[in-house]
Amino acid sequence: MTAEMPQVAAEFGGDPQITFPPAAAPAGLKVIEVVEGHGPVVRRGDTITVNYQGQVWGNPEPFDSSFARHDPTSFGIGIGQVIQGWDRSIPGHNVGSRLLISIPPEYGYGSRGVPQAGIGGGDTLVFVVDIIATR
């Protein structure tokens, strides 16, 4: 699976640099634990704090990055407060983990996309997520 996924430079907490493979995005929701954390496990219904960077598959520029803003964000996970790709992929991982997540449109923003952010209806999204805390 890792051969079809992008590569991420930088360790937990560092500004992620994503390099995309020449192949098309993989089918389905894919998650790679780039760095394994050793803190508490994230469970559905928890409020988590993360740093993240989101890019459209193949686009070298992020459409959103809390890393760039130096402003981690908090939200409930697994309860519909964020896109399904996050709700399905983040629970079960530990605080201190860095995740690389490939999210197909059906688990992202669907056929409507988010045009103002440069996300088309058929775009696969790629996120690097550092799990900072859970409660």
Side-chain angles (χ1 to χ4, degrees), residues 1-7 21-23 32 57:
M1 176 174 68
T2 59
E4 63 187 16
M5 289 287 281
Q7 298 296 308
I32 295 174
W57 184 277

Side-chain angles (χ1 to χ4, degrees), residues 47-123:
T47 296
I48 63 172
T49 301
V50 301
N51 256 327
Y52 67 91
Q53 179 170 295
Q55 291 178 226
V56 170
W57 184 277
N59 187 332
E61 296 301 318
F63 59 79
D64 192 12
S65 176
S66 68
F67 288 99
R69 290 189 304 274
H70 305 286
D71 186 23
T73 188
S74 298
F75 50 84
I77 194 70
I79 58 172
Q81 289 186 358
V82 292
I83 59 175
Q84 284 186 50
W86 281 39
D87 274 348
R88 292 172 178 243
S89 62
I90 295 175
H93 293 278
N94 298 69
V95 170
S97 295
R98 170 168 276 197
L99 307 178
L100 174 66
I101 310 169
S102 175
I103 302 175
E106 62 269 24
Y107 296 130
Y109 295 104
S111 60
R112 71 185 186 280
V114 182
Q116 63 272 29
I119 301 170
D123 287 341

